[in-house]
Amino acid sequence: MLELSHTTKTHDESRQGEALDMLPTGKSTGRKLYIESYGCQMNFSDSEIVASILMDKGFETTKDFKDADVVFINTCSIRENAEQRVRNRLKEFESAKAKNPGMVVGVLGCMAERLKAKFLEEEKLVDVVVGPDAYRDLPNLIEKVDEGGRAVNVLLSREETYADISPVRLNSNGISAFISIMRGCDNMCSFCVVPFTRGRERSRDVVSIVKEAQDLFNAGYKEVTLLGQNVDSYKYTPAVAEGEEAKPTVNFAQLLELVAQVSPELRIRFSTSHPKDITDEVLYTMAKYENICNYIHLPVQSGNSRVLELMNRTYDREWYINRVDAIRRIIPECGISTDVITGFCTETEEEHQETLSMMKYVKYDYAYMFAYSERPGTLAAKRYEDDIPEEVKKRRLTEVVDLQREHSLYRIEKFVGKVHKVLIEGTSKRSDKDFCGRNDQNTMVVFPVDERFKVGDYVNVLGESCTSATLIGKIVD
């Protein structure tokens, strides 16, 4: 059993979130903050950090940008249409600002570095541009704008983890929360802009992570998701005072165990894993603790070794299959999801077929599937020609999507007739007469409301039927 022995100072279908109304944590300034987030879970987690920093300065949050004094959009640079989507939204904010000249509008996150000049100077759509490592500077930057200027800070850091900041839980159901365990990425995948927008990889203090999990559980939360660009490369070496003995480095498997030990009633998820780094030690830790969900997101991107090398994924087809086989051997009931890119530079029809054959081998529970789009500043944009015609990319993507739909149905049909432990997250989007929640494998489960239970309770649900995306059942004793 692991112990904590050192002290610490006191994570394309873009998603959109709005801040909830909350009281300030510091002396109120009467100013209201609105944050809208796009992209990955890490962006949503970052927005909670931003809210905490500004609420400590007396801001309140609002869910209507027209009522806000400060409006931020937390951006994502992964997909090609993200930039236009953000620009369109900024123009809506511009209209609101015309009626409220004192409003401060800013862009946060992954688009900040690449588009700072365009948004600030050329189009004058924003007053503030702030990168992911500069959120502590926001009060100062807002003050500069209040004084009549424009402000920018997109400097990347090798140390910043925001470990001492307790995130404000925006859009929370009070049941599930994200915990960022690391920032940045050292994997230079040729198609990906993240290393350039989020900087080098650094792991957060293990004590602060476990404390955040404990605090969330004490506050009534029942599920946490540990977030990182590559959680399996988490590695934290505690600092020691002069004269003290060095303390052992904590890896991801050990961190996972420490968080699982907070309480058997706190369910643990994590994202994202990298095929080159996920170890058997992680898998055995998952198998050891019932409250660590049997679900792994393991992006494959391509099923062909040559294409994987061009992508700089640092593993080949055989290695990926080895990791899948290990998951199936150690955690037989584990759900596996993935990411797939079709039409990467120079991909042949035969190589595309190898992606389909990989999908047939694994039979993923679900997948995020995209046609390749060149992102400015990436290694692929510098080295390779984006030479696959759009119609070919889209046709290959359709084949991938159609096959995945078959596999999703295949996997979910196996849940019918079995009893699943489900955490009630709320009522179904389609009917307030149904509860919804996810099973261990991250599959959405819908079942009739039972007055004996409430949101946040664990229930046993018998799967009775399904669609390709949802398991339908009833609560059983």
Side-chain angles (χ1 to χ4, degrees):
M1 180 178 293
L2 296 169
E3 296 181 356
L4 297 179
S5 58
H6 66 290
T7 58
T8 184
K9 298 178 181 178
T10 47
H11 143 187
D12 151 71
E13 291 297 331
S14 292
R15 303 183 311 163
Q16 175 178 331
E18 298 176 354
L20 298 180
D21 290 310
M22 304 185 78
L23 296 175
T25 55
K27 185 176 179 180
S28 178
T29 63
R31 302 182 80 180
K32 292 184 178 181
L33 167 70
Y34 173 90
I35 308 178
E36 192 167 287
S37 303
Y38 291 85
C40 67
Q41 293 172 330
M42 188 66 75
N43 274 9
F44 284 75
S45 178
D46 277 1
S47 291
E48 295 177 342
I49 290 170
V50 169
S52 179
I53 290 168
L54 292 181
M55 288 176 69
D56 192 54
K57 297 298 182 182
F59 282 79
E60 302 175 32
T61 63
T62 176
K63 50 188 175 181
D64 186 350
F65 72 85
K66 295 177 183 177
D67 292 337
D69 301 286
V70 175
V71 175
F72 288 132
I73 184 165
N74 198 345
T75 60
C76 172
S77 285
I78 300 300
R79 306 313 310 158
E80 187 174 17
N81 65 353
E83 181 179 330
Q84 189 56 47
R85 182 175 297 188
V86 167
R87 181 176 282 101
N88 292 341
R89 194 63 171 145
L90 287 173
K91 288 180 179 177
E92 292 183 49
F93 297 158
E94 190 177 36
S95 299
K97 185 173 181 176
K99 300 176 183 177
N100 178 12
M103 178 186 285
V104 176
V105 177
V107 166
L108 312 176
C110 293
M111 273 187 198
E113 166 63 30
R114 186 168 65 85
L115 296 177
K116 63 181 185 292
K118 185 177 289 188
F119 284 164
L120 267 176
E121 304 300 336
E122 294 176 28
E123 301 179 31
K124 293 184 168 52
L125 289 173
V126 300
D127 307 297
V128 185
V129 176
V130 187
D133 290 348
Y135 296 143
R136 292 182 194 270
D137 198 28
L138 276 168
N140 298 325
L141 298 175
I142 291 171
E143 187 176 341
K144 288 182 182 179
V145 176
D146 291 341
E147 293 170 353
R150 294 177 185 267
V152 58
N153 187 341
V154 294
L155 294 176
L156 295 175
S157 168
R158 288 179 178 266
E159 290 82 32
E160 181 62 84
T161 63
Y162 301 108
D164 60 322
I165 294 177
S166 180
V168 171
R169 304 298 168 177
L170 303 174
N171 297 304
S172 174
N173 56 8
I175 305 302
S176 303
F178 300 133
I179 299 179
S180 175
I181 68 169
M182 58 197 304
R183 299 184 70 81
C185 185
D186 286 348
N187 297 309
M188 299 298 290
C189 299
S190 64
F191 55 80
C192 185
V193 73
V194 167
F196 306 104
T197 60
R198 288 190 170 271
R200 298 298 297 273
E201 195 172 270
R202 61 270 190 202
S203 296
R204 180 179 160 189
D205 173 9
V206 64
V207 173
S208 71
I209 295 170
V210 176
K211 181 180 184 300
E212 186 173 339
Q214 183 68 64
D215 289 347
L216 285 165
F217 181 72
N218 293 345
Y221 284 79
K222 295 292 185 69
E223 179 180 271
V224 295
T225 299
L226 306 181
L227 290 181
Q229 241 66 50
N230 176 15
V231 291
D232 296 286
S233 64
Y234 176 89
K235 188 178 294 183
Y236 180 77
T237 303
V240 294
E242 187 175 350
E244 286 186 344
E245 289 187 10
K247 296 176 181 176
T249 295
V250 178
N251 65 22
F252 180 61
Q254 294 165 328
L255 173 67
L256 198 55
E257 181 168 31
L258 288 167
V259 178
Q261 290 169 353
V262 166
S263 171
E265 291 298 303
L266 181 66
R267 194 157 73 165
I268 317 301
R269 299 185 186 276
F270 58 87
S271 184
T272 294
S273 290
H274 195 293
K276 77 176 176 65
D277 290 318
I278 190 168
T279 64
D280 287 2
E281 185 185 5
V282 168
L283 303 180
Y284 282 116
T285 302
M286 293 175 67
K288 179 180 177 181
Y289 290 91
E290 184 182 350
N291 59 326
I292 302 177
C293 290
N294 292 332
Y295 165 69
I296 296 172
H297 185 64
L298 196 69
V300 65
Q301 308 300 0
S302 171
N304 174 262
S305 293
R306 187 191 73 88
V307 174
L308 288 171
E309 185 175 5
L310 289 178
M311 291 177 168
N312 200 33
R313 290 291 287 171
T314 67
Y315 59 84
D316 58 16
R317 179 184 176 91
E318 287 68 34
W319 177 271
Y320 188 91
I321 289 174
N322 172 275
R323 293 295 78 207
V324 169
D325 289 347
I327 294 169
R328 299 289 190 220
R329 181 180 72 254
I330 298 169
I331 318 170
E333 299 299 316
C334 192
I336 305 176
S337 62
T338 199
D339 297 343
V340 178
I341 296 174
T342 66
F344 190 72
C345 311
T346 75
E347 181 188 62
T348 67
E349 193 61 34
E350 291 75 17
E351 289 165 342
H352 165 64
Q353 291 299 320
E354 283 206 79
T355 295
L356 297 179
S357 71
M358 177 70 84
M359 294 176 66
K360 291 173 184 177
Y361 183 84
V362 182
K363 292 185 172 62
Y364 297 102
D365 291 67
Y366 54 94
Y368 300 95
M369 300 156 284
F370 311 99
Y372 174 67
S373 62
E374 185 176 271
R375 310 310 301 134
T378 59
L379 297 177
K382 296 174 182 177
R383 295 177 180 175
Y384 312 130
E385 181 184 354
D386 183 7
D387 60 350
I388 307 299
E390 285 302 312
E391 60 270 21
V392 175
K393 290 181 183 179
K394 291 178 180 178
R395 189 261 301 164
R396 291 177 184 174
L397 177 60
T398 298
E399 292 176 5
V400 165
V401 170
D402 289 346
L403 182 59
Q404 182 54 48
R405 190 175 290 116
E406 292 178 22
H407 292 162
S408 293
L409 182 60
Y410 168 82
R411 287 294 177 195
I412 205 168
E413 283 177 337
K414 290 182 175 295
F415 296 148
V416 175
K418 296 181 180 179
V419 175
H420 304 264
K421 185 177 182 180
V422 177
L423 175 62
I424 302 175
E425 298 178 10
T427 55
S428 168
K429 292 181 180 179
R430 293 191 175 184
S431 172
D432 59 9
K433 295 181 180 179
D434 289 326
F435 280 138
C436 68
R438 289 173 293 163
N439 70 358
D440 211 33
Q441 292 79 12
N442 208 38
T443 296
M444 182 56 68
V445 186
V446 174
F447 45 98
V449 168
D450 186 322
E451 293 181 356
R452 296 175 296 168
F453 303 102
K454 64 184 183 303
V455 173
D457 287 341
Y458 290 103
V459 291
N460 293 317
V461 177
L462 173 65
E464 296 182 306
S465 63
C466 67
T467 68
S468 62
T470 306
L471 181 64
I472 301 163
K474 66 179 180 182
I475 296 176
V476 294
D477 295 329

